[in-house]
Amino acid sequence: QVQLLESGGGSVQTGGSLRLSCEASGDFISTNCMGWFRQAPGKEREGVATIYTYSGFTNYGDSVKGRFTIYLDNAKKTFYLHMNSLKPEDTGTYYCAADQVPGADRCTTDGGSGMDYWGKGTLVTISE
């Protein structure tokens, strides 16, 4: 089992930055795909970014490419989502997730439904 705990959410103005953290505990070493997903009120969950830890391969949703960066600190068992140039449409609850997948091609932002482990979420609000 793997437990995930997000932190770093908050309220910022358009154009601002935030860094989300996801601290893992438990059998973290058994996972090789970490990701961030978000859900805005009244909308479906959306994949934001994933990282395949064996190779460092990353995948981003189209709406965040060039603005968000996912990265991992293995020593701290923590992965991050650094968000720049934030927009009101980035508002939502952000969830971190982890899974073990057979290859990098299975560690993508459209794979949210297959992730085994999820955090409880952290709210990000971007104001005009």
Side-chain angles (χ1 to χ4, degrees), residues 17-85:
S17 298
L18 278 175
R19 188 182 75 165
L20 306 183
S21 300
C22 180
E23 184 176 359
S25 59
D27 194 18
F28 177 69
I29 197 170
S30 70
T31 59
N32 59 9
C33 176
M34 283 81 184
W36 289 94
F37 300 81
R38 68 186 181 189
Q39 188 165 21
K43 294 188 177 181
E44 293 187 354
R45 186 177 62 201
E46 174 188 14
V48 177
T50 57
I51 183 167
Y52 182 65
T53 62
Y54 290 175
S55 64
F57 172 81
T58 56
N59 181 249
Y60 294 93
D62 288 341
S63 62
V64 307
K65 283 180 182 176
R67 300 189 297 124
F68 291 12
T69 303
I70 185 171
Y71 56 100
L72 170 68
D73 186 332
N74 259 316
K76 295 182 179 179
K77 295 184 179 181
T78 301
F79 60 104
Y80 304 90
L81 183 70
H82 196 97
M83 307 184 291
N84 290 325
S85 304

